[in-house]
Amino acid sequence: MARRKKLSDLSVSRRKLLVGAAAGGGLLIAWNLWPRKYASPLVARPGDETFAGWLVIGRDGIVTIAQPQLEMGQGIGTVLAQIAAVELGADWRQVAIEPVPPSGMFANLPLAGKWSYLLDGWLPDNDWSTGRFARSNAFTATAAGTSLAAYELPLREAAASARDMLTRAAADRWDVEPEQCQVAEGFVIYGEQRFAFGALVEDAVRYDPPDPAPLRPMPAFEQPIPGEAEAQGMYPRLDLPSKVDGSHLFAGDIRLPGMVYASIRHGPAGLPELLRFSERKAAGMSGLVAVVRSKRWLAAVAESWWIADRALAKMRPQFTGPGALEQDRLEAQLEEAANSSAQLAERIETMGDPDGLLGDTAIVRRFDIAPASQAPLETASATARLAGGRLELWIAAQAPEAARDAAAQAVGLSNSDVVLYPMPAGGSFDARLEKQHAIEVAQIAAEVGRPVQLTWSRAQDFQAVPPRAPVSGEIAAAIGAEGQPVAWRARIVSPSWMREAGHRLFRNNVPEAAQRESAGLADPLVVEGAVPPYNIPHVAVEHVPAKISLPTGRMRGGAQGYTCFFTECLVDELARAAGRDPFLYRMAMLGTAPRLAEALRRATRLGEWDGAQPGSGEGVAVARMRLGEEAAGHIACVAHLMRGEGGIKVRQLSAVVDIGRIVNLDIARQQIEGGLLYGMGLALGRPLGFESGHPVPRTFGGMGLPGLADTPDMRIDFVESDADPFDPGELGVVVAAPAIANALFALTGERSYRLPLVP
């Protein structure tokens, strides 16, 4: 993923910089020479002015906020704009957002720190070098709930700086002290006099920015609304009107003069390389423009996508490789690793002395997690135009600079010769961390010499995006005198899927190469969340790196999508064995986690908990997610199941959430509700399998996802808190499956140790 930067008259790539730096200080000198300031790609129109690279204020009073994160349905543009608007004192009716291309100015430092171990061997092991890497590589990736942590303070500082400059401009006109002025609703106010922002920008931009920026005492926040009460939000979503009326443009909506359309076929799992196809069978098709072949795929280009896809069907491409993946082989590979787990396990975390307590009397349970597809509503789509040595790329990407780098390399250009237009995504769930379609569309555009739009079919999206890995978990617990665990060991058997994703993302490896480079290496993010949130003094967490034939990657919720399932299902079973109410059993172990205990207490009240008696269909689960040392999110969920036509039906999900200070209550609620439904689909949908290398099912309809008729009644409540804000997007995902599994046991008396729960 080498990219070029200009350093005076010397062009030097990051890889050459790191490899060529001399020992004994050369690397430090090289890093010190690297540029420290990065230009903002946010450009003002004539007459408008830019403030701190984050805001543009126009003469018409419109305030435009830079949006460096991918909008994929989570509402991040609105949340970031709200942070800036509150700090600035803007009128929400005059606030707009503008997605910006990647820039070192907008580097996502918390995510770079979280993923820094993926750069082993590239960087010195310290925060300074990680930050420098993130900035010099315009690492603005959107993932793992890091947007608030990354961008709230920079946005507040930029808005506070602009507010101060506007205030000084107005104060000088009135010949008063700036401290005598107020800023609110898009005006600078002194007594009965006021100036709109637009009337001040020309003067304000001439003032020196304050250092430090004068932040308001209270950042953006909204009070939670108790229970089921309804209230109009103060900051409605900025993207909602265009999404409702259909004018919102996604990656697949781009239209360029002379544009053609491409469909593509990738090899099945285990057969990655194109072997043969019959081009003559598509010869003469009306509207067919070109056939483009690569080592790993075949594409048809036509006047419409439908014609291109029909041409591929006629040509019947065949692929070759080590051998097509079959489901029984995949299961055997994971089972082989599980059988060798005691020998291959690598200790990731230890608390106390668990090994001395986990003897022959320990309770041991085996859990199995099937692979799962991210399945966003919008499949991978990108548009490219290559002309005059410049490539333009319209794409929805969670890691846009990596996509731009990969596209540039694919057609032999430097990174500076590629213009990336960031587009919103119709969902992602981390599927758009992958950048394969950026490479493909660039190569196709170079081959046909016309603007081209590539769209993957649903089957190809399932085929080409690495799914969540299959996982086996062996959880052992030693029980004390009061029936509660005193020692705990989580031994997780899984491929090192985050290391794989890192090799694809940072080093531009093909999936098979990423697997080889990751083989046998323990991966801390594969076991994230495996330490229970309860007061258990002796804990061990181990990873057994499994070698399987399936490329794998990250999915919404990360490892906690399964580690929470392991923990909460076994804790529920231990409560039953001790003859205790599962709610009270958990509460007795949450003395060191008061925020989670409060969420659990309130959730059982909200969900009308009645002890989960046999046949009740009532279950509970809790989850805690952390980001660094400060921010944390807590959720407790009560699920109610019933028997219905066609099987088990989730009747109600009641959740209480503590995400610290709430920036936008409506969006937080939407994220929790959406996460619960996503987790419900993972719990009750059909498992992903493989036949002759092809994923099964290959359609939305075949996945058994919940529809409108299956959507349960949802009761969501939030805890008022002044703690650091936490992104709520993944909390609902991780807690839904164990709550439903525990409710299923209460309903049927049978406990499932597998996900999905229903075959």
Side-chain angles (χ1 to χ4, degrees), residues 1 38 78 241 280 313 321 367 405 444 548 585 590 638 671 686 688 748:
M1 193 178 111
Y38 303 91
T78 298
R280 63 178 179 80
F367 295 85
D405 277 338
I444 295 169
I548 64 174
Y585 185 84
L590 287 174
V638 174
Q671 285 292 285
R686 296 187 179 91
L688 180 67
T748 66

Short mmCIF file of all heavy atoms in Angstrom, two decimals, residues 1 38 78 241 280 313 321 367 405 444 548 585 590 638 671 686 688 748:
data_model
loop_
_atom_site.label_atom_id
_atom_site.label_comp_id
_atom_site.label_asym_id
_atom_site.label_seq_id
_atom_site.Cartn_x
_atom_site.Cartn_y
_atom_site.Cartn_z
N MET A 1 0.83 -1.19 0.00
CA MET A 1 0.00 0.00 0.00
C MET A 1 0.87 1.25 0.00
O MET A 1 0.58 2.23 0.66
CB MET A 1 -0.91 -0.02 1.22
CG MET A 1 -2.04 0.98 1.22
SD MET A 1 -3.03 0.78 2.69
CE MET A 1 -2.63 2.26 3.53
N TYR A 38 -1.48 19.22 7.47
CA TYR A 38 -2.20 18.61 6.36
C TYR A 38 -3.35 19.51 5.98
O TYR A 38 -4.11 19.97 6.84
CB TYR A 38 -2.69 17.21 6.76
CG TYR A 38 -1.56 16.32 7.20
CD1 TYR A 38 -1.18 16.25 8.54
CD2 TYR A 38 -0.83 15.59 6.28
CE1 TYR A 38 -0.13 15.46 8.95
CE2 TYR A 38 0.23 14.79 6.68
CZ TYR A 38 0.58 14.73 8.01
OH TYR A 38 1.63 13.95 8.41
N THR A 78 -24.99 13.81 10.91
CA THR A 78 -25.82 14.63 11.78
C THR A 78 -25.18 14.82 13.15
O THR A 78 -25.17 15.92 13.71
CB THR A 78 -27.21 13.99 11.93
OG1 THR A 78 -27.84 13.93 10.64
CG2 THR A 78 -28.08 14.78 12.89
N PRO A 241 -34.58 14.04 4.92
CA PRO A 241 -35.49 14.47 3.83
C PRO A 241 -35.10 13.89 2.47
O PRO A 241 -35.96 13.41 1.72
CB PRO A 241 -35.35 16.00 3.86
CG PRO A 241 -34.98 16.33 5.26
CD PRO A 241 -34.07 15.21 5.68
N ARG A 280 -17.00 -16.38 -26.98
CA ARG A 280 -17.77 -16.44 -28.24
C ARG A 280 -19.26 -16.60 -27.99
O ARG A 280 -20.08 -16.21 -28.82
CB ARG A 280 -17.25 -17.58 -29.11
CG ARG A 280 -17.42 -18.96 -28.53
CD ARG A 280 -16.93 -20.05 -29.49
NE ARG A 280 -17.09 -21.36 -28.92
CZ ARG A 280 -18.24 -22.04 -28.90
NH1 ARG A 280 -19.34 -21.49 -29.42
NH2 ARG A 280 -18.31 -23.23 -28.35
N ALA A 313 -23.32 -14.72 -17.72
CA ALA A 313 -24.00 -16.01 -17.59
C ALA A 313 -23.78 -16.87 -18.83
O ALA A 313 -23.58 -18.09 -18.73
CB ALA A 313 -25.49 -15.80 -17.34
N GLY A 321 -8.00 -23.57 -8.46
CA GLY A 321 -7.28 -23.30 -7.22
C GLY A 321 -7.09 -24.58 -6.44
O GLY A 321 -7.28 -25.68 -6.98
N PHE A 367 -19.17 -23.86 22.78
CA PHE A 367 -20.07 -23.05 21.97
C PHE A 367 -19.54 -23.03 20.53
O PHE A 367 -18.33 -23.04 20.30
CB PHE A 367 -20.14 -21.62 22.49
CG PHE A 367 -20.76 -21.48 23.86
CD1 PHE A 367 -19.98 -21.64 25.00
CD2 PHE A 367 -22.10 -21.17 24.00
CE1 PHE A 367 -20.53 -21.51 26.26
CE2 PHE A 367 -22.66 -21.03 25.26
CZ PHE A 367 -21.88 -21.20 26.39
N ASP A 405 -5.50 4.33 -2.58
CA ASP A 405 -4.17 3.76 -2.80
C ASP A 405 -4.24 2.52 -3.68
O ASP A 405 -3.46 2.35 -4.62
CB ASP A 405 -3.53 3.38 -1.46
CG ASP A 405 -2.87 4.57 -0.77
OD1 ASP A 405 -2.54 5.55 -1.46
OD2 ASP A 405 -2.68 4.51 0.44
N ILE A 444 -11.10 -1.92 -14.87
CA ILE A 444 -12.08 -2.00 -15.96
C ILE A 444 -12.14 -0.68 -16.71
O ILE A 444 -12.18 -0.65 -17.95
CB ILE A 444 -13.47 -2.40 -15.40
CG1 ILE A 444 -13.42 -3.81 -14.81
CG2 ILE A 444 -14.53 -2.34 -16.51
CD1 ILE A 444 -14.66 -4.17 -14.01
N ILE A 548 -8.08 -22.20 8.49
CA ILE A 548 -9.21 -22.68 7.71
C ILE A 548 -9.07 -22.18 6.28
O ILE A 548 -8.25 -21.31 5.99
CB ILE A 548 -10.56 -22.22 8.32
CG1 ILE A 548 -10.68 -20.69 8.29
CG2 ILE A 548 -10.72 -22.74 9.73
CD1 ILE A 548 -12.04 -20.18 8.73
N TYR A 585 -28.87 -13.15 40.32
CA TYR A 585 -27.57 -13.81 40.26
C TYR A 585 -26.54 -12.88 39.63
O TYR A 585 -25.41 -12.75 40.12
CB TYR A 585 -27.72 -15.10 39.45
CG TYR A 585 -26.48 -15.97 39.39
CD1 TYR A 585 -26.19 -16.88 40.41
CD2 TYR A 585 -25.63 -15.92 38.29
CE1 TYR A 585 -25.07 -17.70 40.34
CE2 TYR A 585 -24.52 -16.73 38.21
CZ TYR A 585 -24.24 -17.63 39.23
OH TYR A 585 -23.14 -18.43 39.15
N LEU A 590 -22.05 -7.79 40.20
CA LEU A 590 -21.78 -6.54 39.51
C LEU A 590 -21.41 -5.41 40.47
O LEU A 590 -21.58 -4.23 40.14
CB LEU A 590 -23.00 -6.12 38.67
CG LEU A 590 -23.24 -6.95 37.41
CD1 LEU A 590 -24.55 -6.55 36.73
CD2 LEU A 590 -22.07 -6.80 36.43
N VAL A 638 -33.83 -7.43 28.16
CA VAL A 638 -34.77 -8.49 28.52
C VAL A 638 -35.54 -8.87 27.27
O VAL A 638 -36.13 -8.01 26.60
CB VAL A 638 -35.74 -8.03 29.63
CG1 VAL A 638 -36.81 -9.09 29.88
CG2 VAL A 638 -34.97 -7.74 30.92
N GLN A 671 -29.90 3.58 16.61
CA GLN A 671 -28.78 2.65 16.59
C GLN A 671 -29.03 1.44 17.48
O GLN A 671 -28.69 0.32 17.12
CB GLN A 671 -27.51 3.38 17.02
CG GLN A 671 -26.94 4.30 15.95
CD GLN A 671 -26.41 3.50 14.78
OE1 GLN A 671 -25.36 2.89 14.84
NE2 GLN A 671 -27.15 3.50 13.69
N ARG A 686 -30.72 -18.08 9.19
CA ARG A 686 -30.13 -19.34 8.75
C ARG A 686 -28.61 -19.22 8.75
O ARG A 686 -28.06 -18.19 8.39
CB ARG A 686 -30.64 -19.70 7.35
CG ARG A 686 -32.13 -19.98 7.32
CD ARG A 686 -32.59 -20.51 5.96
NE ARG A 686 -34.03 -20.78 5.98
CZ ARG A 686 -34.95 -19.91 5.62
NH1 ARG A 686 -34.60 -18.71 5.20
NH2 ARG A 686 -36.23 -20.22 5.68
N LEU A 688 -24.72 -19.54 7.59
CA LEU A 688 -24.03 -19.46 6.31
C LEU A 688 -23.20 -20.72 6.13
O LEU A 688 -22.38 -21.06 6.99
CB LEU A 688 -23.13 -18.22 6.28
CG LEU A 688 -22.32 -18.00 5.00
CD1 LEU A 688 -23.25 -17.68 3.83
CD2 LEU A 688 -21.30 -16.88 5.19
N THR A 748 -38.50 -23.29 26.34
CA THR A 748 -38.50 -24.68 25.89
C THR A 748 -37.81 -25.65 26.84
O THR A 748 -37.99 -26.87 26.73
CB THR A 748 -37.80 -24.80 24.53
OG1 THR A 748 -36.41 -24.47 24.68
CG2 THR A 748 -38.43 -23.85 23.51
#
